[in-house]
Amino acid sequence: MNTAQDHYNQQLAAVYSWMSGNPEAAIERNHALFCQLGIDSAPRGLAIDLGAGSGFQSIPLAQLGFSVVAIDFCDALLSELRDRAKHLSIRTIHQKTSQKPLALDMGRKAAATTVA
């Protein structure tokens, strides 16, 4: 039986962003949603995006001034995120499901967490 990680790596990663219809529009929609929710006026700090994929939440959070840690088990999707967010404050972490749990230095309080 394949794992979710296998499914993403072997099938879904190649079409994940395409399935959104338009990745840039998805990023813009999330940016607008975060503004509507008042996240744009929240104190800036660290935002952790679990299951970050290609950055539909990570990128708008970074655009709003957060330092983002984007974690995903699919390196192909994280590569897309890095390509889209070259000049933004986003650190990507490729965390395989078979690895031990990730320990992050939480020197700053996490301001927002999203789960894709």
Side-chain angles (χ1 to χ4, degrees):
M1 176 176 230
N2 286 343
T3 65
Q5 183 174 355
D6 292 335
H7 179 67
Y8 271 81
N9 289 335
Q10 295 167 8
Q11 298 176 11
L12 197 53
V15 296
Y16 186 84
S17 292
W18 170 82
M19 288 176 16
S20 75
N22 177 341
E24 299 309 320
I27 290 166
E28 289 175 21
R29 280 192 306 274
N30 283 322
H31 190 281
L33 174 63
F34 294 155
C35 290
Q36 180 184 359
L37 295 172
I39 293 173
D40 59 329
S41 60
R44 302 309 189 268
L46 178 64
I48 301 171
D49 188 353
L50 304 173
S54 56
F56 296 158
Q57 291 85 29
S58 297
I59 291 171
L61 286 168
Q63 290 170 336
L64 290 171
F66 290 90
S67 294
V68 178
V69 176
I71 304 168
D72 204 291
F73 59 51
C74 184
D75 197 40
L77 293 177
L78 289 175
S79 179
E80 281 186 47
L81 189 161
R82 287 188 294 271
D83 288 345
R84 280 195 184 93
K86 290 181 179 159
H87 303 291
L88 294 172
S89 179
I90 299 176
R91 175 182 168 208
T92 60
I93 298 176
H94 180 221
Q95 177 71 20
K96 297 178 182 177
T97 56
S98 60
Q99 288 176 302
K100 291 182 180 180
L102 181 67
L104 291 174
D105 176 9
M106 298 300 287
R108 292 184 284 169
K109 185 179 178 184
T113 303
T114 63
V115 180

